[in-house]
Amino acid sequence: MKKYLPLIIGGIVILIVVSWYINGQNSLVTMEENVNAQWSQVENQYQRRLDLIPNLVETVKGYATQESKIFTEVARLRSQVGSIQAGKEILDDPAAFAKFQKAQTELGGALSRLLVVAENYPELKSNENFLALQSQLEGTENRIAVARKRFNEAVQEYNTAIRRIPMSIIAALGGFKQKAYFSAQEGAEKAPGVSFE
């Protein structure tokens, strides 16, 4: 029995290490999938916004035909945002993530300017279609903010886990990499300027 004791102890130690690794790997996979799920929610809300834009632009166009510059800008930015492939692969590419975030921020700014244009047309502000679209767009912008917040929370939990010892060892062995956060664009603390030139 004494001669098998080192083998038994060695087996127990190996079993503990393997169990710890499997548990850690599973935890990281769960956190990464949570990040991916939250990203899908962000994408869903951005898609909802993209789908609302043509209806909003057409409604405003009917009243504010001389504001063609803002319509052109909104259409250009919508097209630009729509052309960016934003699958979960973007989460592992900080440059692509930054490009996506910048495009979405620019589109949001153009939509804000479009809504300011609408303020100059009292008959438009009382149009039921416009009011419904404006309400849907405002709701979508709020959903985007909530989805981005939840995404950042999931990323924080995941990034913290893969950097803490001993999980950092499992993360390195499993190829887990940090994910990018959504952050405010430079100058976001200032109110945007609106020009009707």
Side-chain angles (χ1 to χ4, degrees), residues 149-193:
K149 177 183 178 287
R150 289 181 180 156
F151 172 78
N152 278 349
E153 289 169 350
V155 168
Q156 179 187 15
E157 180 183 9
Y158 171 80
N159 285 349
T160 300
I162 68 169
R163 293 181 61 211
R164 295 175 99 180
I165 295 175
M167 292 294 266
S168 61
I169 298 166
I170 297 170
L173 293 172
F176 293 93
K177 296 191 181 352
Q178 284 192 336
K179 307 290 185 189
Y181 289 98
F182 270 108
S183 59
Q185 292 293 312
E186 189 174 317
E189 68 280 357
K190 299 175 192 162

Side-chain angles (χ1 to χ4, degrees), residues 23-187:
N23 186 33
Q25 177 80 10
N26 289 340
S27 294
L28 290 177
V29 167
T30 299
M31 284 184 256
E32 187 173 45
E33 285 304 312
N34 186 35
V35 169
N36 293 338
Q38 294 304 325
W39 176 249
S40 293
Q41 290 305 312
V42 171
E43 285 183 307
N44 288 340
Q45 296 311 318
Y46 278 137
Q47 185 61 52
R48 178 180 161 85
R49 178 169 71 176
L50 280 178
D51 293 344
L52 286 172
I53 290 171
N55 295 331
L56 182 67
V57 168
E58 288 303 315
T59 301
V60 175
K61 248 188 207 181
Y63 288 88
T65 55
Q66 67 272 26
E67 307 292 352
S68 64
K69 183 179 176 185
I70 191 72
F71 301 135
T72 302
E73 181 183 10
V74 168
R76 179 185 64 79
L77 290 171
R78 180 182 182 274
S79 176
Q80 179 182 341
V81 165
S83 71
I84 296 173
Q85 298 299 316
K88 69 179 184 175
E89 307 81 38
I90 200 170
L91 299 177
D92 295 321
D93 184 351
F97 188 84
K99 179 181 175 185
F100 176 80
Q101 183 177 351
K102 182 177 186 278
Q104 289 291 350
T105 300
E106 288 174 357
L107 179 59
L111 286 174
S112 295
R113 289 189 294 283
L114 179 64
L115 292 175
V116 169
V117 164
E119 292 295 317
N120 294 330
Y121 298 89
E123 64 278 1
L124 173 60
K125 290 192 304 188
S126 64
N127 178 287
E128 287 181 31
N129 288 339
F130 174 73
L131 292 174
L133 287 167
Q134 184 180 23
S135 176
Q136 287 182 32
L137 189 60
E138 289 168 354
T140 299
E141 293 298 325
N142 288 335
R143 289 183 186 130
I144 288 170
V146 169
R148 285 175 55 154
K149 177 183 178 287
R150 289 181 180 156
F151 172 78
N152 278 349
E153 289 169 350
V155 168
Q156 179 187 15
E157 180 183 9
Y158 171 80
N159 285 349
T160 300
I162 68 169
R163 293 181 61 211
R164 295 175 99 180
I165 295 175
M167 292 294 266
S168 61
I169 298 166
I170 297 170
L173 293 172
F176 293 93
K177 296 191 181 352
Q178 284 192 336
K179 307 290 185 189
Y181 289 98
F182 270 108
S183 59
Q185 292 293 312
E186 189 174 317

